[in-house]
Structure formats: structure tokens, C-alpha cells
Amino acid sequence: MAKHALGWVGAGGRMGFAMAKRLLAAGHEVSVYNRTRSKVEPLAEHGATVVDSLSELRNLDIVFTTVSASDDLIAVCTGPEGLLATGSSPKLIIDCSSVSEEASSQVRAAAAKLGVDMLAAPVSGNAKVVSAGKLTIVASGPRKSFEMAEPYLQALGVGVTYVGEGELARMVKICHNLLLGVVAQSLAEITVLAEKGGVKRSAFLEFINNSVMGSQFSRYKTPAFVNLDWTPTFTPVLLRKDLDLGLKAAKELGVPLPVTKVTRGEVDKLVQAGHTDCDFAILIEQAANASGLKLTPENVAVDDGLKKKSA
């Protein structure tokens, strides 16, 4: 495999940090940038080169981006000091964020004018999933660029799915996160029903996880539901953003999403109540409160289904 010089924008976030760390562990050379330098300095211990500006990444072969919102992607790529500003540009930009198709298309068009390719490569999982080596990725863009990037994408997790040209990966990821929200809300309220009927959360979720209804998602959310640990992996604010993106696309395409609309309302209640920097698994606490049930941590060891791998 030909070696390429890699860069990472947003490596100070939970996901960016964990993903960049995996590339470093796989022996790749990675330069990292984050607006707050201190958040990426620990990656230097793993072999990363910490840079102070986006301009220092422009002469690299491939630059990954993990940012929080559409406007952030536009800024880091097309802003005055961005990756596509005057001067040299990377050969390929790979965006692993959850952003709108419109923002991604805008950056793709700006890149194309400079002869730079772009892959949309949003991911499924959180930082714990990345560290366990179980991240999955969906990618779209030029096939030749995907083939160039595939070894690096494979190093990030267990599977990469190429779905075609343009922004198709964005649609896949938005649909994925709609399902994420709907499943989380359903699992939360149904677990509350079981507990109010006299069943311990740990017992109910153990049964579900061993049944045909169990999934990697239900397993790794079980410790939070059982022990009420709201350490954030994905916040209600970010989930609401993705639900809004999905509902916008559904309106444009004429697809009614009644269950998703209800879920969006429940997530919005969390945000309005000030639950903005916790894990979205706190949906179970909201469902319990609405049912007149006071939840308490069970304080038991629960398998999250993630077998740790070195990273």
C-alpha cells in the first residue's frame, strides 16, 4: 500500500481524537489540528505532529475532518484560512462528520475547482466504539478517491461501505441517526414500562440483548440505562440536529415520518430542560419521570458488548 501523508482537522473532539489515535496506532503519519491546541497535544505521545493552523495541512495528501456542524465544515474548508484557501491544497478531503448534504455539496464544489477530490465518510459509533475497533463507515464520492482512502478508512474500524458518487453517504448517515433516535426512545420508554411492572432494568435488557431484538446498540447503551451514567458519547443537542436534518429531507422528498417526529419532540424536551452536555441515553430518565417512576442506579456490572482492542 502506498503511504500518504495524513492530516486531521478536529482531532480534539471525542470522535476525532479516537479516530486519529487509531491511524497512529496502525503506523500512519498524522498531523493534527484543533482550535484548542491543548486537546490534541496528548496525541503527540502517540506519534502525531501537532500543528497550529489549517494552512500547515494543505500540502498533505489526505486530510480528514470531524466537526460538529455544517457551518464548521464550510469554515474549515472554504474559509479565509481554510484547507482550500489560496496556495497548496490537499489531494483529498475526507469528511467524517454528520452534516447536511447542502454543506457537503458546497465544499465538494469548492474543492473541485481546485482539482481536489472529496469523500463524504460519516461514521456509525462513538469514541468507545472506535477504541474497541468496531466503528463502521459509509462513503460516497469519486471511486478512485475511495480506493485511495480505503486502507485508511479500514484502519478506523470493522467495515467501510461505498454507496456511490456525490452525497449519497450523507443520506445514509442521516437515515442511520433517525433510526438511532427512534430506537433509543423506544428502548427507553419500553424499559420504563418493564421496570414499572416490577422487572429490574438489568434483567429486562439482558433478555432483550440475548433475543432477536438485541443489537450492538442496545448492548452498549445497557450500562447507561442500568446505572444511569450520562457521561456523553452523543448529546441530545447533536441528536436533535440530526433529527432536524432528516425531517427536512423527508419533507423535501415527501416521506412522512410520524414516529421520527414524536422522537424529535422528546429529544427537544431534553434540550429545553437543560440536558445539553450529557448522553442522549438520559431519554430513559425523562420517560420515567413522565410515568411517575423514580429511577435509581442499580450499580451492577453490565457487559457493553464491546471487546476492547488496542488503539
Side-chain angles (χ1 to χ4, degrees), residues 1-133:
M1 183 187 77
K3 285 279 189 176
H4 297 94
L6 309 179
W8 205 293
V9 178
R14 285 185 291 268
M15 287 296 288
F17 189 99
M19 293 167 75
K21 185 180 174 185
R22 283 200 70 83
L23 286 181
L24 292 163
H28 302 300
E29 296 180 4
V30 187
S31 297
V32 296
Y33 168 80
N34 199 71
R35 282 181 297 185
T36 305
R37 181 188 168 98
S38 60
K39 291 184 177 181
V40 292
E41 285 176 344
L43 287 172
E45 300 173 11
H46 300 278
T49 299
V50 179
V51 302
D52 293 313
S53 67
L54 292 168
S55 63
E56 295 176 73
L57 302 179
R58 290 183 199 147
N59 63 343
L60 301 179
D61 297 313
I62 301 173
V63 176
F64 289 81
T65 56
T66 45
V67 296
S68 297
S70 298
D71 289 345
D72 296 323
L73 177 64
I74 293 170
V76 300
C77 291
T78 66
E81 306 298 326
L83 295 173
L84 300 173
T86 55
S88 60
S89 299
K91 295 176 182 176
L92 175 63
I93 294 173
I94 303 176
D95 180 59
C96 297
S97 317
S98 292
V99 299
S100 69
E101 289 187 34
E102 293 82 0
S104 190
S105 293
Q106 182 177 330
V107 172
R108 189 184 299 278
K113 290 180 180 178
L114 299 174
V116 177
D117 280 345
M118 177 181 172
L119 285 179
V123 304
S124 173
N126 56 41
K128 286 180 64 179
V129 174
V130 176
S131 296

Side-chain angles (χ1 to χ4, degrees), residues 12 17 27 47-48 50 85 98 108 111 113 118 126 136 152 162 166 173 185 193 210 226 279 282 292 296 304:
F17 189 99
V50 179
S98 292
R108 189 184 299 278
K113 290 180 180 178
M118 177 181 172
N126 56 41
T136 54
Y152 307 108
Y162 177 73
K173 180 56 194 295
Q185 174 60 27
L193 174 62
N210 289 330
V226 169
D279 194 77
I282 201 172
T296 57
D304 64 4

Side-chain angles (χ1 to χ4, degrees), residues 217-268:
F217 174 73
S218 68
R219 291 183 185 94
Y220 75 64
K221 277 303 172 196
T222 291
F225 276 18
V226 169
N227 296 318
L228 309 185
D229 179 2
W230 310 137
T231 302
T233 60
F234 192 57
T235 67
V237 172
L238 293 176
L239 179 56
R240 185 181 65 175
K241 178 205 71 174
D242 288 350
L243 291 169
D244 285 341
L245 288 173
L247 289 169
K248 179 176 180 289
K251 183 177 180 180
E252 292 170 351
L253 294 170
V255 180
L257 297 177
V259 178
T260 302
K261 290 177 182 176
V262 171
T263 299
R264 195 273 179 192
E266 292 303 306
V267 175
D268 186 58

